[in-house]
Amino acid sequence: MSEKDLKDKDLSDSVDEEKRDFLFITTAGLAVAGGAVTALSLIDTMNPAKDVLALSTTEVDLAPIEEGQSLTVMWRGKPIFIRHRTSEEIRTANNTSINELKHMASDESRVKNPKWLVVVGVCTHLGCVPLGQKVGDNKGEFGGWFCPCHGSHYDTSGRIRKGPAPLNLEVPPYDFVSDEIIKIG
Amino acid sequence: MKEKETENKKGISNWIDERLPVFTFINHNLRDYPTPKNLNYFWNFGSLAGVTLVIMIVTGILLAMQYTANTEMAFDSVERIMRDVNNGWLLRYIHMNGASMFFIIVYIHMFRGLYYGSYKYPREILWMLGVVILLLMMATAFMGYVLPWGQMSFWGATVITNLFSAFPVIGDYIVTFLWGGFSVDNPTLTRFFVLHYLLPFAIVGVVALHLVALHQFGSNNPTGIDVKSEGDTIPFHPYYTVKDYLGLGVYLIVFAFLVFFAPNFLGHPDNYIPANPLQTPAHIVPEWYFLPFYAILRAVPDKLLGVLLMFAAVMVLFFLPWLDKHKIRSANFRPFYKQFYWLFFINCIVLGWVGAMPAEGVYVLISRVATLYYFGFFLIIMPFLSKFEKTTDLPSSISAAVISEKFDNNEPSSAESYVK
């Protein structure tokens, strides 16, 4: 190869612009795709791991809970309120007119067996645990639960009645495995 | 008038650049940055080391979110990462093999510097900062290896910390201080985890200084001749960005092969046995990247002297610019240095090999000879050659060297004309 050939090679009119664009776009495209896949798999490590997901159901034996008593169990790291409601409590819950409610839901739609109310014990305002599970607790103006953080009152169906919380206490997915055992999750 | 000019520059990037010159900085250091036009692929290893550092920090941060630094839970938390965490195996294998890749890259980077005399005037501080990075890397890698709390972790930590007990009088106090107790135990693990997390950021800081020092005089090059005119250089972008990308692609293929097909090839199976303070494994070896230094340690029959020599093996690198005062940088033009250099290279491999062998019989002899040559190369051969070695003819400039390679014609005048 002579010096002159090299010189000629440098002339811009011998550059195949289309080929360069093609190479540039395919290379950059592949690099971006590879980077994205790598980044996504790395970010995925922060999602719940298999051992965490394996703990996502909890079975509870309801037999020891007398009428009027409550039980708090853990499910996915959160408290679950289980209340064995008295007939009085069930009646008040049922007699409440739906139109009075901030978050409209009938008591029927929130229970599988009216004797048992199962709700997630996390205030829908900012995540505090409401009072009302223990005998001496302040149960709020509606006989359900009262959240001490910002003063939300829940009724005997776990529905929001007064205060800043926007929604009723969440009903977790659960099933009656037998008459007296429920499986949450 | 000045204000008017400012107003005339349109666009958000100009607006920002006016106030915070990031784009000017990037342009200056990664785009127009004049780079010798004859760099070969050995000049890829700096950027590869930088990429590896980033990979290690990213995977390390994600691992730290899953790891538990407690002697009761550390081993199980690592196994949980392997089994339960989404892609946890991938994360850990990248990090584990990334450490090995980092040392491969950095060792090649250093041998490059040694061959082409990159440590010589005016790049002495650049080189010394590199040695600081190496020391930080060694400390970080050692402490990282302790974290899974397997047998090798525990006994590696015990042996390495016990090195300090070799010092008279204060030795035992130092060791107790390092442990935070009377043996390698929970306090040791906790502090090692904290330091293992902290030191990489110190490395980032020193790397930044390393780059500032590099860009002060620019890269060395295979001829070792200074850049004399603009014709000797080409802009960093696109020429070296493209070259670095190609190197990166090849590097990632090797890295990925290790991660996906031989993730435990460079590790030691004993580290999958939970740490047991009551039983030492029959044959304990450090990770491969410490083996040459480990061989030097074992070559010496005296405890203190062995430890001192091992530390000296790294420390001697700091004095390289003053041990080798020969005017010519590149070994290409130093016929004798070149041969001693390759002998030194092989010698390092031999040291690594005997470091992995049991300390008995012929291995002891080999390790002693290799240790002698290791120090002899730096302390005797280098100063001697600085004084007496005659060199072959140097090309008049980088361009001249490039042209003479291309046309086998040594006329510098024609070279210059081609450049212009």
Side-chain angles (χ1 to χ4, degrees), chain B residues 251-262:
Chain B
Y251 167 61
L252 290 180
I253 290 171
V254 176
F255 196 160
F257 180 84
L258 208 55
V259 168
F260 290 109
F261 297 100

Side-chain angles (χ1 to χ4, degrees), chain B residues 42-327:
Chain B
F42 283 108
W43 265 263
N44 278 46
F45 288 85
S47 74
L48 290 182
V51 170
T52 313
L53 179 60
V54 172
I55 292 176
M56 293 305 277
I57 288 179
V58 168
T59 52
I61 289 173
L62 289 170
L63 281 171
M65 293 180 188
Q66 313 284 352
Y67 172 78
T68 312
N70 180 295
T71 51
E72 300 287 316
M73 296 181 272
F75 188 88
D76 290 341
S77 78
V78 172
E79 284 310 303
R80 180 181 165 271
I81 291 171
M82 295 301 288
R83 291 151 200 250
D84 287 338
V85 173
N86 307 314
N87 304 320
W89 59 273
L90 179 63
L91 199 59
R92 175 161 174 262
Y93 279 156
I94 292 177
H95 198 73
M96 226 169 91
N97 289 289
S100 285
M101 295 311 286
F102 206 177
F103 275 96
I104 292 175
I105 295 292
V106 164
Y107 283 156
I108 296 176
H109 188 62
M110 292 173 69
F111 273 114
R112 193 283 317 271
L114 200 59
Y115 185 87
Y116 293 109
S118 301
Y119 48 86
K120 291 186 189 180
Y121 172 85
R123 298 186 182 83
E124 297 95 330
I125 290 186
L126 173 61
W127 171 264
M128 291 164 83
L129 287 169
V131 181
V132 173
I133 295 172
L134 176 69
L135 282 171
L136 287 171
M137 274 176 65
M138 287 175 148
T140 309
F142 157 64
M143 288 188 281
Y145 194 59
V146 175
L147 302 185
W149 211 243
Q151 273 291 65
M152 279 295 164
S153 300
F154 183 87
W155 292 102
T158 303
V159 169
I160 301 293
T161 46
N162 262 315
L163 290 177
F164 293 91
S165 72
F167 295 108
V169 189
I170 49 164
D172 286 337
Y173 294 103
I174 297 179
V175 174
T176 309
F177 173 75
L178 290 176
W179 287 341
F182 301 105
S183 62
V184 174
D185 209 335
N186 201 46
T188 327
L189 178 61
T190 323
R191 66 187 58 183
F192 276 20
F193 176 58
V194 171
L195 292 174
H196 180 72
Y197 199 102
L198 173 73
L199 289 187
F201 296 100
I203 294 178
V204 170
V206 185
V207 165
L209 295 177
H210 194 64
L211 288 175
V212 173
L214 171 69
H215 285 215
Q216 183 74 3
F217 293 101
S219 297
N220 185 27
N221 66 81
T223 65
I225 307 169
D226 286 328
V227 168
K228 283 172 184 147
S229 68
E230 224 176 285
D232 286 345
T233 65
I234 44 177
F236 192 81
H237 181 79
Y239 297 102
Y240 286 114
T241 41
V242 161
K243 195 163 183 163
D244 278 351
Y245 276 132
L246 179 63
L248 180 63
V250 174
Y251 167 61
L252 290 180
I253 290 171
V254 176
F255 196 160
F257 180 84
L258 208 55
V259 168
F260 290 109
F261 297 100
N264 289 304
F265 176 69
L266 295 167
H268 200 291
D270 273 22
N271 217 27
Y272 285 101
I273 303 169
N276 178 0
L278 301 180
Q279 197 189 3
T280 311
H283 183 204
I284 126 160
V285 279
E287 289 281 81
W288 70 265
Y289 37 81
F290 291 136
L291 287 174
F293 303 102
Y294 192 58
I296 291 174
L297 170 76
R298 297 193 310 181
V300 188
D302 182 72
K303 184 175 175 182
L304 179 60
L305 203 61
V307 172
L308 288 178
L309 269 193
M310 192 188 69
F311 287 129
V314 184
M315 291 304 162
V316 72
L317 297 173
F318 277 111
F319 301 99
L320 213 49
W322 296 276
L323 290 169
D324 177 9
K325 298 189 83 165
H326 200 278
K327 284 274 177 287

Side-chain angles (χ1 to χ4, degrees), chain A residues 3 41 44-45 48-51, chain B residues 66 80 84 86-87 91 407:
Chain A
E3 196 180 325
S41 8
D44 188 34
T45 60
K50 293 188 191 78
D51 61 328
Chain B
Q66 313 284 352
R80 180 181 165 271
D84 287 338
N86 307 314
N87 304 320
L91 199 59
F407 306 107

Side-chain angles (χ1 to χ4, degrees), chain B residues 300-366:
Chain B
V300 188
D302 182 72
K303 184 175 175 182
L304 179 60
L305 203 61
V307 172
L308 288 178
L309 269 193
M310 192 188 69
F311 287 129
V314 184
M315 291 304 162
V316 72
L317 297 173
F318 277 111
F319 301 99
L320 213 49
W322 296 276
L323 290 169
D324 177 9
K325 298 189 83 165
H326 200 278
K327 284 274 177 287
I328 306 302
R329 294 200 187 96
S330 174
N332 281 345
F333 305 106
R334 297 181 60 185
F336 292 102
Y337 175 75
K338 193 176 186 171
Q339 304 196 12
F340 285 116
Y341 168 89
W342 284 113
L343 199 56
F344 176 76
F345 178 77
I346 294 164
N347 189 61
C348 286
I349 310 257
V350 169
L351 275 174
W353 169 68
V354 286
M357 294 293 136
E360 56 196 29
V362 69
Y363 300 120
V364 177
L365 183 67
I366 296 174

Side-chain angles (χ1 to χ4, degrees), chain B residues 34-40 43 123 217-234 240 329-330 333 394-407 409-412 414-416 418-419:
Chain B
T35 315
K37 63 183 179 185
N38 58 338
L39 301 187
N40 59 32
W43 265 263
R123 298 186 182 83
F217 293 101
S219 297
N220 185 27
N221 66 81
T223 65
I225 307 169
D226 286 328
V227 168
K228 283 172 184 147
S229 68
E230 224 176 285
D232 286 345
T233 65
I234 44 177
Y240 286 114
R329 294 200 187 96
S330 174
F333 305 106
L394 280 179
S396 61
S397 72
I398 292 172
S399 293
V402 173
I403 298 298
S404 70
E405 250 172 54
K406 282 241 156 62
F407 306 107
N409 162 6
N410 259 328
E411 279 175 54
S414 70
E416 298 297 336
Y418 161 62
V419 164

